[in-house]
Amino acid sequence: MAPRMQTGSGRLSQGLLLLWVLLGTGLCHAGAEAESFGQDTRTSPPVAVFNWTAQLVEETYTNITQKCWEVFVDLMRNVTASELCEWKVISRPYSLLQACLEGWADHLRYGYPNALAEQYIFQSHHRYFHNCTLEHQVYFDPPEDVLLAMIIAPICLIPFLVTLVIWRSKDGKAQP
């Protein structure tokens, strides 16, 4: 097993870091065609291909989402209990968590939304936002007498307006 080194708020395997560097720089060419099969190396750059198994992708995404969660928890440490329900305060950490989960899923072609990402989103709501209630008053229907007046007034106004239009058009003169 590769030795571990301390990075930021958690530990990252040097082997995983080395793999990431090799894939990111294009030095890992597993599965590239050999020259004898007709690939002209003078005109075609080598293609970096890595055969990811579903298990490896899932394991990698699981590890990365754990790091996304740790960053989110670290950012939420700066938020006081009274600010937990203020969107202006929590939007940045929450959006970063969502972007991290979605971005890595897209990068690994894992599919988003997925069960693991939803688990972290639900966990964030359960841990931090479960006491948030609506601060604004919930609107209800008006009292019955007010509602009746609001319905009957336009209905009574329509015949009056029709009568007014007919009365004004009875003068017999042609309108241009």
Side-chain angles (χ1 to χ4, degrees):
M1 180 167 195
R4 296 171 117 31
M5 61 183 230
Q6 180 72 24
T7 60
S9 64
R11 297 182 180 273
L12 181 63
S13 169
Q14 284 183 352
L16 185 57
L17 182 60
L18 180 60
L19 177 64
W20 179 71
V21 169
L22 290 176
L23 288 174
T25 59
L27 294 177
C28 185
H29 302 290
E33 285 187 36
E35 287 181 39
S36 63
F37 289 106
Q39 181 179 5
D40 187 0
T41 57
R42 290 173 286 152
T43 58
S44 300
V47 178
V49 177
F50 187 79
N51 293 330
W52 287 82
T53 63
Q55 182 180 4
L56 181 59
V57 169
E58 187 169 349
E59 183 178 326
T60 303
Y61 186 68
T62 302
N63 292 336
I64 290 172
T65 55
Q66 179 62 35
K67 298 298 179 195
C68 294
W69 175 253
E70 290 170 4
V71 168
F72 174 74
V73 169
D74 190 49
L75 289 172
M76 291 302 288
R77 283 190 187 116
N78 300 327
V79 178
T80 64
S82 62
E83 297 174 324
L84 280 177
C85 297
E86 294 182 31
W87 180 246
K88 291 185 295 186
V89 176
I90 63 165
S91 66
R92 182 175 176 264
Y94 189 83
S95 297
L96 286 174
L97 173 65
Q98 188 270 334
C100 183
L101 296 171
E102 184 175 359
W104 278 105
D106 288 345
H107 181 73
L108 295 171
R109 295 187 180 109
Y110 188 65
Y112 188 87
N114 56 60
L116 190 58
E118 287 179 3
Q119 177 185 348
Y120 282 111
I121 297 295
F122 287 137
Q123 186 175 348
S124 71
H125 283 258
H126 180 71
R127 184 170 176 179
Y128 294 103
F129 314 122
H130 67 279
N131 285 332
C132 294
T133 58
L134 295 175
E135 292 181 9
H136 305 324
Q137 180 181 3
V138 178
Y139 296 109
F140 297 103
D141 288 337
E144 208 169 295
D145 54 342
V146 173
L147 185 62
L148 189 60
M150 291 173 66
I151 293 172
I152 291 178
I155 292 173
C156 293
L157 190 59
I158 292 172
F160 172 74
L161 292 175
V162 169
T163 304
L164 183 65
V165 168
I166 292 172
W167 177 64
R168 293 292 293 162
S169 65
K170 287 217 175 216
D171 61 2
K173 296 180 183 174
Q175 298 290 331

